[in-house]
Amino acid sequence: MNTEKAIYDLPITRYDDVLKTLIEISSSNSEFQDGFHLLSKELELTHISQYFSTPIIEKIVVKNTFGSRYRTALYGSCIPNVLFTAVISKNYGLIIFEKGKEIYKEDLIC
């Protein structure tokens, strides 16, 4: 395993480079895999491994027992100026949220 710390020059603007970087930093072997990676509305990668605390939105009914990463993405999609949030887990796959609702779900085969 490479023990050198990777350095990223942000923002990453080229679509292919954004995809490559997201795949690289989202690997379970990456020191950057935890936290949220932020994209602009132009799909530029602007921040990596960010943590934020969202308010709990009581009107949203959560019908599963997924953990804090899922709920942070769910509630985070309600923050002003946030277009979408997503969460990926080997336990429940890929889920994309918009304004407090799951709008896309795909099971992942690993």
Side-chain angles (χ1 to χ4, degrees), residues 6-55:
I7 298 176
Y8 295 94
D9 188 21
L10 299 173
I12 298 174
T13 58
R14 285 190 57 243
Y15 184 75
D16 289 345
D17 292 338
V18 169
L19 289 178
K20 178 182 160 222
T21 303
L22 284 172
I23 290 168
E24 182 179 297
I25 64 179
S26 298
S27 163
S28 61
N29 296 325
S30 171
E31 64 187 315
F32 299 106
Q33 62 108 1
D34 277 333
F36 287 82
H37 313 306
L38 307 181
L39 301 173
S40 70
K41 64 181 177 182
E42 293 81 20
L43 299 180
E44 297 172 344
L45 182 59
T46 59
H47 299 77
I48 59 174
S49 299
Q50 301 295 301
Y51 293 90
F52 62 101
S53 178
T54 60

Side-chain angles (χ1 to χ4, degrees), residues 52-55 57 72 74-83 85 99-100:
F52 62 101
S53 178
T54 60
I57 301 169
T72 299
L74 172 66
Y75 298 142
S77 70
C78 296
I79 294 173
N81 299 316
V82 171
L83 301 176
T85 57
K99 295 182 173 87

Side-chain angles (χ1 to χ4, degrees), residues 61-67 70-71 74 92 95 97 102:
V61 177
V62 180
K63 298 178 182 177
N64 59 55
T65 58
F66 301 148
Y70 174 93
R71 286 179 182 240
L74 172 66
Y92 49 78
I95 301 173
F97 302 97
E102 285 187 19

Side-chain angles (χ1 to χ4, degrees), residues 66 70 84-88 92-98 100-108:
F66 301 148
Y70 174 93
F84 305 97
T85 57
V87 64
I88 300 173
Y92 49 78
L94 167 66
I95 301 173
I96 299 174
F97 302 97
E98 180 182 29
K101 294 185 176 146
E102 285 187 19
I103 62 165
Y104 181 84
K105 182 171 183 354
E106 180 177 331
D107 293 327
L108 302 176

